[in-house]
């Protein structure tokens, strides 16, 4: 079972990520504005407690106010993107540990000056802890706890030595440091003193070598024993409770939690287990199984569960009823919970999103990328790669989920009354291992799945013993493996000395030692064990005095120490003293999700992006991007652009990641640069005063091609190319010719001519002749004496010059209307009132018709088809 410890009070689960080689150079006036006294406090009980939150892709921290949920300062850390640093802070001090190099720096927050430095072993096996009462550097791999001066980082007193492979390391509210010692099954309370740290208390909480996770609570501590599936709580007043817990799969726990209730996230199947002394509850949650389902915390009688996969923080009451879903843009990365004072913070480290939660459960968005503050206008975020999976994680390639297989290479070495069993990991068959059960010599042991070495004592020399080992996962027990018969012996050789380890750039580790004294026994070889926090495994045997641990045997980026035992047949010496700590590393994995595409804004340019790969134990120093014959180095971020190519040129692109060990394998792809665009008018829709042209566009890879319509030879306005281009302001009943010109940075083209007409609108002249209305419009003869002259057609809407006559009943196409002289279709003839156009109102509208060029008649004498006598319908204005 995998248990990841999350320190919710720190600025990141495993320590805030900020710049490796942090340049701390600011003028004094800026320091006072930027930080102020106490800005970094984790323990500020005021309602306006603030925290600095990290954004991984930008390499930037932002200070978020817990009362207003407002970001008031952003600080861009030079060359920080992708580099991991652990940070601890109080009102006056800040400790930074560079994961890749192991360098620890102390910074005075009143001046932002570096006041001290210390060197530690590279990798994740060392952590720093800081409170108002003291500072510690905890070498979990070596088992060393060093008290240091928070300003100078100089040692205070002698370090405390514990068995290798510590876990945890956080302060409680009383200023006492707590660490777990899985090899002994204990947790230890350590008191910082002026003369050096002292062990204040040791509590036995488990059998040796079981998997322990330590959480410092608001009242006391809680220890999750994933092997035995139980939780031990020890309160400040000394009350102690051991409670069975339901763990169906891998668990996530926080290193610190603000409440008094311990909360455990079971990631597969997703559920929550809470423990309050003897009282325990378990309930399913709505989240899906995911590596991004993080450690939950209890905050004011609510359980908060960060879920990076769905971009949510799930909120439940203590009975398991869902109360709320707090949305947060996770960017496909983890969402992490921190607490200070009476405020809970949720931070999406892959994006600029954060949320502040008050004591009454009110959540407020707190964007980290405000630009109207000091340090604004930062570059946009980039997607960061996901975390590496662990050895015991779900194996997607497994054909079927089931109980584990049998362990292999089960054997043991012997000493005086002891047998040291070891074995290789059992196949987990798609479900993470939860424990090994070892039986023999009348005893039974439950061992953490990461521990594959068990020393069994109090045995009778010369008597043969056999042992069985059975692996377990959530699906049940696997096949049992049985050891050969092993007999302890008092005839053992001496232990080796001078054990030294060296991490090699090819991913191997070379372990060397001095030849041992056989004590009268023939030395047949040496056995080498690797020890890390929560793990102990035999990595091989050697005939000489050196051994190289093969590539991919150990976890890259994790600190290891080594012990060597001398072998004489099956007899073995006591283990040697542990070696120095080393962190295995090799070249990074190839970058993932490589995407190369033509730049949407620049001709001859390729935009390249990728996701950050596993760094395999050393920070990625740069990426080398090769496009065609050009090479470019990228030292920050995971995007770049390469230019200088021709239009529509196919370019081969490769990206390699570089760390201390060298270059990764390349990720490769191809892309074409932007080409000149093309456009054709494929169809149209006609309206009375508008034609909608449907365009078939190939933008050539441009993000914003520009189009303009040429209507009857006149170029209209230019705009971003639409799918449908609306040509407005047209006359009805009119034919038009169109072309569309499209352009992008790579070129332009004009479409073929396309002809289209607006909707035809017809009208009919009327002044009553058909109904026998006797009037001058009907009766006046032409000059030749025949027919009626009708009404005049003019070249202007106010009368102008007459172009001729149109008669009652004549039909015309109407183009548009305008205003002019008002005409009332009534008059007096021979002393009699005559209504020339019954139902027609007097009107100043004039209609342009198809009689001649610029021909107008009064609307008083024209009826538009299909509408009332006094309506122009869809006819547009001229």
């Amino acid at each position: 079972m995998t248990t990841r410890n999350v320190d919710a009070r720190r600025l990141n689960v495993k320590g805030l990520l900020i710049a490796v080689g942090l340049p701390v150079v600011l003028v004094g006036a800026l320091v006072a504005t930027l930080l102020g006294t106490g800005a970094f406090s984790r323990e500020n009980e005021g309602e306006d407690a603030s925290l600095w939150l990290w954004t991984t892709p930008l390499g930037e921290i932002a200070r978020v106010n817990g009362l207003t949920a407002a970001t008031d300062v952003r600080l861009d850390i030079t060359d920080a993107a992708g580099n991991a640093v652990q940070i601890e802070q109080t009102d006056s001090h800040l400790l930074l540990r560079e994961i890749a190099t192991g360098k620890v720096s102390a910074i005075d927050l009143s001046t932002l000056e570096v006041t001290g430095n210390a060197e530690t072993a590279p990798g994740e096996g060392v952590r720093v802890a800081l409170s108002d009462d003291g500072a510690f550097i905890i070498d979990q791999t070596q088992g060393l706890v060093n008290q240091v001066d928070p300003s100078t980082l100089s040692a205070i007193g002698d370090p405390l030595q514990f068995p290798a492979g510590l876990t945890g390391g956080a302060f409680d509210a009383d200023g006492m440091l707590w660490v777990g010692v899985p090899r002994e099954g204990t947790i230890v309370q350590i008191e910082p003193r002026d003369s050096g740290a002292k062990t204040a208390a040791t509590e036995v909480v488990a059998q040796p070598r079981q998997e322990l996770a330590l959480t410092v609570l608001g009242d006391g501590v809680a220890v999750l024993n994933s092997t035995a599936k139980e939780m031990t709580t020890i309160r400040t007043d000394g009350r102690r409770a051991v409670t069975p817990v339901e763990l169906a799969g891998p668990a996530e726990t926080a290193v610190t939690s603000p409440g008094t209730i311990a909360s455990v996230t079971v990631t597969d199947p997703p559920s929550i287990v809470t423990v309050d002394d003897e009282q325990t509850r378990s309930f399913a949650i709505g989240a899906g199984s995911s590596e991004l389902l993080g450690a939950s915390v209890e905050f004011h009688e609510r359980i908060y569960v960060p879920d990076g996969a769905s971009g949510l923080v799930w909120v439940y009451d203590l009975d398991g009823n869902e109360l709320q879903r707090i949305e947060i843009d996770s960017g496909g990365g983890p969402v992490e919970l921190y607490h200070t004072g009476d405020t809970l913070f949720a931070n999406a480290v892959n994006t600029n999103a954060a949320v502040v939660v008050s004591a009454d459960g009110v959540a407020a968005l707190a964007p980290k990328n405000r630009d109207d503050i000091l340090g604004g206008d930062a570059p946009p975020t980039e997607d960061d790669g996901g975390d590496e999976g662990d050895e015991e994680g779900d194996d997607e390639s497994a054909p079927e989920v089931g109980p584990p297989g049998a362990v292999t290479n089960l054997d043991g070495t012997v000493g005086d009354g002891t047998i040291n069993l070891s074995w290789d990991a059992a196949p987990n068959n798609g479900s993470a291992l939860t424990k090994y059960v070892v039986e023999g010599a009348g005893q039974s042991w439950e061992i953490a799945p990461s521990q594959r070495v068990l020393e069994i004592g109090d045995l009778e020399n010369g008597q043969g013993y056999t042992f069985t080992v059975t692996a377990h996962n959530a699906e049940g027990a696997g096949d049992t493996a049985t050891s050969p018969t092993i007999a302890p012996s008092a005839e053992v050789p001496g232990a080796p000395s001078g054990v030294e380890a060296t991490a090699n750039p090819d991913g191997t580790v070379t372990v060397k030692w001095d030849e041992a004294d056989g004590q009268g026994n023939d030395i047949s070889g040496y056995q080498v064990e690797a020890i890390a926090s929560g793990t102990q495994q035999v990595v091989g045997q050697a005939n000489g005095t050196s051994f190289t641990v093969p590539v991919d045997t150990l976890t890259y980026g994790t600190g290891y120490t080594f012990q060597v035992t001398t072998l004489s047949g099956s007899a073995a010496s006591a283990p040697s003293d542990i070696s120095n700590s080393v962190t295995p590393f090799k070249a990074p994995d190839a970058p993932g999700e490589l995407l190369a595409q033509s730049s949407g804004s620049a001709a001859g340019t390729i935009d390249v992006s990728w996701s950050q790969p596993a760094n395999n134990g050393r920070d990625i120093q740069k990426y080398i991007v090769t496009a065609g014959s050009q090479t470019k180095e990228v030292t920050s971020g995971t995007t770049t652009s390469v230019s200088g190519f021709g239009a529509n040129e196919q370019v081969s692109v490769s990206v390699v990641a570089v760390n201390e060990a060298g270059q990764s394998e390349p990720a490769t792809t191809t892309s074409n640069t932007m080409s000149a665009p093309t456009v054709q008018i494929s169809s149209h829709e006609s309206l009375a005063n508008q034609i909608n042209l449907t365009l078939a566009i190939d933008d050539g890879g441009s993000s914003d091609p520009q189009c303009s319509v040429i209507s009857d030879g006149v170029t209209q306005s230019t705009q971003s190319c639409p799918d449908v281009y609306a040509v407005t302001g047209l006359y009805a009943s009119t034919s038009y010719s169109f072309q569309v010109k499209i352009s992008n940075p790579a070129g332009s083209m004009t479409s073929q001519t396309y002809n289209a007409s607006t909707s035809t609108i017809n009208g009919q002249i009327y002044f009553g002749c058909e109904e026998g209305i006797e009037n001058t419009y009907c009766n006046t003869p032409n000059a030749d004496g025949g027919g009626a002259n009708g009404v005049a057609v003019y070249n202007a809407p106010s009368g102008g010059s007459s172009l001729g006559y149109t008669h009652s009943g004549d039909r015309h196409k109407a183009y548009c209307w305008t205003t002019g002289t008002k005409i009332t279709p009534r008059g007096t003839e021979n002393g009699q009132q005559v209504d020339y156009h019954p139902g027609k109102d007097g009107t100043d509208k004039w209609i342009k018709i198809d009689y001649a060029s610029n021909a107008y008649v009064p609307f008083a004498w024209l009826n538009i088809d299909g509408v009332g006598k006094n309506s122009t319908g869809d006819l547009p204005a001229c």
Side-chain angles (χ1 to χ4, degrees):
M1 180 171 294
T2 301
T3 303
R4 294 181 185 148
N5 294 326
V6 182
D7 186 343
R9 291 188 298 179
R10 294 183 0 220
L11 297 192
N12 199 329
V13 171
K14 294 183 179 178
L16 179 65
L17 305 180
I18 57 179
V20 171
L22 174 69
V24 187
V25 182
L26 292 176
V27 295
L30 176 60
V31 170
T33 303
L34 178 64
L35 299 175
T37 302
F40 281 91
S41 174
R42 295 183 302 138
E43 303 301 335
N44 183 357
E45 295 300 328
E47 291 183 351
D48 60 345
S50 297
L51 279 184
W52 286 86
L53 304 180
W54 174 248
T55 306
T56 301
L58 296 184
E60 177 182 278
I61 52 176
R63 189 175 65 184
V64 177
N65 185 291
L67 177 62
T68 64
T71 300
D72 51 23
V73 178
R74 294 168 61 188
L75 184 60
D76 183 32
I77 309 300
T78 304
D79 297 328
N83 294 334
V85 171
Q86 180 193 351
I87 183 170
E88 288 285 333
Q89 57 187 314
T90 64
D91 284 342
S92 55
H93 291 95
L94 177 70
L95 298 185
L96 301 172
R97 178 175 178 270
E98 301 171 12
I99 303 300
T101 65
K103 180 181 178 181
V104 182
S105 300
I107 299 174
D108 187 328
L109 289 182
S110 64
T111 63
L112 274 191
E113 293 182 351
V114 177
T115 57
N117 291 290
E119 299 296 329
T120 67
E124 296 281 358
V126 178
R127 61 182 288 124
V128 294
L130 179 66
S131 78
D132 292 332
D133 300 303
F136 285 88
I137 297 175
I138 305 159
D139 190 328
Q140 296 172 320
T141 305
Q142 294 269 1
L144 295 173
V145 178
N146 299 272
Q147 184 178 349
V148 295
D149 184 283
S151 296
T152 65
L153 295 180
S154 58
I156 299 177
D158 295 329
L160 301 179
Q161 177 71 66
F162 299 95
L166 303 180
T167 185
F171 281 95
D172 63 18
D174 295 325
M176 305 291 278
L177 180 75
W178 288 89
V179 296
V181 189
R183 295 187 74 183
E184 293 184 339
T186 62
I187 60 172
V188 179
Q189 184 188 55
I190 298 171
E191 179 183 4
R193 295 184 179 181
D194 293 341
S195 58
K198 300 295 181 184
T199 298
T202 299
E203 299 282 349
V204 177
V205 294
Q207 293 184 23
R209 304 177 189 273
Q210 293 184 326
E211 185 171 359
L212 306 181
L214 174 62
T215 301
V216 176
L217 301 173
D219 176 19
V221 296
V223 183
L224 175 65
N225 184 336
S226 296
T227 308
K229 296 184 179 180
E230 62 186 24
M231 177 81 81
T232 300
T233 54
I234 302 174
R235 299 300 183 180
T236 305
D237 60 7
R239 288 179 294 117
R240 181 185 181 115
V242 180
T243 308
V245 295
E246 299 179 16
L247 294 180
E252 298 273 0
T253 60
V255 171
T256 66
S257 182
T260 60
I261 297 174
S263 181
V264 179
T265 302
V266 179
T267 59
D268 187 13
S271 61
I272 296 296
V273 178
T274 62
V275 176
D276 186 5
D277 295 330
E278 294 88 356
Q279 185 177 12
T280 181
R281 291 185 176 93
S282 178
F283 55 87
I285 58 177
S289 299
S290 168
E291 291 183 355
L292 297 179
L293 190 58
S296 55
V297 298
E298 181 260 327
F299 179 66
H300 287 279
E301 298 187 347
R302 296 180 180 91
I303 304 298
Y304 292 82
V305 190
D307 181 6
S310 61
L312 295 172
V313 177
W314 302 80
V315 186
Y316 296 87
D317 65 18
L318 297 183
D319 292 323
N321 300 306
E322 183 180 325
L323 301 177
Q324 187 181 6
R325 298 181 187 183
I326 301 172
E327 295 185 0
I328 183 169
D329 177 15
S330 65
V335 175
E336 297 169 351
L337 302 180
Y338 333 113
H339 60 89
T340 182
D342 215 18
T343 306
L344 186 70
F345 294 78
N347 182 42
V349 298
N350 272 14
T351 72
N352 280 305
V355 171
V356 172
V357 184
S358 64
D360 57 1
V362 176
L365 292 176
K368 295 177 285 181
N369 61 337
R370 282 182 54 188
D371 286 333
D372 57 341
I373 56 174
L374 185 64
D377 296 319
T381 60
E382 305 291 349
D383 289 338
D384 193 12
D387 293 338
E388 285 185 77
D390 59 83
E391 178 186 11
E392 261 55 72
D394 288 344
D395 182 358
E396 294 183 0
S397 64
E400 183 178 353
V401 176
V407 306
T408 56
N409 295 328
L410 173 59
D411 207 342
T413 59
V414 301
D416 188 1
T418 64
I419 292 176
N420 198 349
L421 284 179
S422 65
W423 57 90
D424 291 341
N428 63 28
N429 290 342
S431 178
L433 299 182
T434 58
K435 63 183 176 182
Y436 291 107
V437 175
V438 182
E439 295 179 312
Q443 301 182 71
S444 178
W445 302 264
E446 291 188 350
I447 304 300
S450 56
Q451 294 286 351
R452 300 195 295 275
V453 175
L454 176 64
E455 183 178 298
I456 302 167
D458 298 326
L459 302 177
E460 185 176 343
N461 288 332
Q463 179 177 329
Y465 297 89
T466 60
F467 298 89
T468 62
V469 177
T470 307
H472 291 247
N473 64 13
E475 303 299 317
D479 295 332
T480 296
T482 302
S483 74
T485 300
I486 309 170
S489 172
E491 300 295 324
V492 296
S497 60
V499 181
E500 295 183 356
T502 303
N504 304 313
D506 62 358
T508 64
V509 174
T510 300
V511 184
K512 296 182 178 181
W513 56 90
D514 297 333
E515 185 175 358
D517 183 350
Q519 302 291 343
N521 302 290
D522 291 333
I523 296 176
S524 59
Y526 298 89
Q527 180 170 282
V528 182
E529 294 179 19
I531 303 169
S533 177
T535 67
Q536 184 178 4
Q537 63 186 103
V538 174
V539 293
Q541 294 184 356
N543 293 325
T545 56
S546 68
F547 177 77
T548 297
V549 182
V551 64
D552 296 335
T553 300
L554 304 174
T555 302
Y556 300 114
T558 297
Y560 287 88
T561 56
F562 297 85
Q563 286 183 321
V564 181
T565 57
T566 310
L567 302 178
S568 177
S570 63
S573 69
S576 68
D577 291 337
I578 61 174
S579 72
N580 56 300
S581 177
V582 297
T583 302
F585 68 102
K586 67 174 183 178
D589 288 351
E593 301 175 342
L594 176 62
L595 176 64
Q597 55 188 351
S598 60
S599 169
S601 59
T605 301
I606 298 291
D607 290 338
V608 187
S609 65
W610 59 93
S611 62
Q612 180 173 306
N615 63 22
N616 290 335
R618 293 292 188 271
D619 278 345
I620 294 173
Q621 301 164 338
K622 61 183 178 182
Y623 298 94
I624 300 176
V625 180
T626 302
S629 61
Q630 301 188 53
T631 298
K632 188 173 185 179
E633 292 189 355
V634 179
T635 58
S636 179
T638 55
T639 62
T640 192
S641 296
V642 186
S643 58
F645 304 104
N648 199 28
E649 180 178 344
Q650 187 176 65
V651 181
S652 297
V653 178
S654 70
V655 181
V656 298
V658 181
N659 68 5
E660 180 183 335
Q663 294 186 7
S664 71
E665 291 295 318
T668 61
T669 189
T670 59
S671 176
N672 283 62
T673 58
M674 184 189 301
S675 61
T678 62
V679 63
Q680 292 298 331
I681 304 172
S682 61
S683 62
H684 76 281
E685 176 191 21
S686 294
L687 304 176
N689 65 338
Q690 177 176 321
I691 293 178
N692 297 324
L693 301 174
T694 300
L695 306 184
I697 294 172
D698 180 351
D699 60 22
S702 170
S703 61
D704 189 25
Q706 298 293 300
C707 284
S708 56
V709 167
I710 304 168
S711 177
D712 288 343
V714 179
T715 301
Q716 309 297 313
S717 62
T718 301
Q719 59 178 278
S720 297
C721 293
D723 293 332
V724 176
Y725 199 118
V727 186
T728 60
L730 305 179
Y731 290 160
S733 312
T734 305
S735 295
Y736 293 90
S737 66
F738 301 101
Q739 291 176 294
V740 176
K741 182 179 180 180
I742 187 171
S743 61
N744 68 15
S748 64
M749 68 88 66
T750 301
S751 72
Q752 295 178 343
T753 300
Y754 185 91
N755 296 313
S757 300
T758 52
S759 298
T760 298
I761 297 180
N762 294 303
Q764 186 171 4
I765 301 297
Y766 181 91
F767 38 86
C769 299
E770 295 87 344
E771 282 76 23
I773 298 175
E774 298 294 332
N775 61 72
T776 56
Y777 295 104
C778 299
N779 297 332
T780 302
N782 288 325
D784 60 5
N789 288 329
V791 294
V793 179
Y794 296 95
N795 66 354
S798 294
S801 301
S802 175
L803 301 176
Y805 292 90
T806 184
H807 306 87
S808 185
D810 288 351
R811 297 185 62 77
H812 296 280
K813 290 181 180 179
Y815 298 134
C816 58
W817 65 266
T818 186
T819 57
T821 302
K822 183 175 181 179
I823 303 297
T824 299
R826 292 160 193 85
T828 303
E829 292 189 18
N830 301 318
Q832 299 294 321
Q833 290 290 327
V834 180
D835 189 350
Y836 303 111
H837 200 157
K840 193 78 165 185
D841 297 335
T843 176
D844 63 354
K845 287 185 177 179
W846 288 62
I847 309 300
K848 186 175 183 180
I849 62 174
D850 61 348
Y851 185 90
S853 178
N854 292 320
Y856 296 87
V857 295
F859 182 44
W861 309 122
L862 182 74
N863 292 329
I864 301 296
D865 287 355
V867 297
K869 288 188 174 184
N870 295 298
S871 172
T872 55
D874 293 333
L875 193 68
C878 296

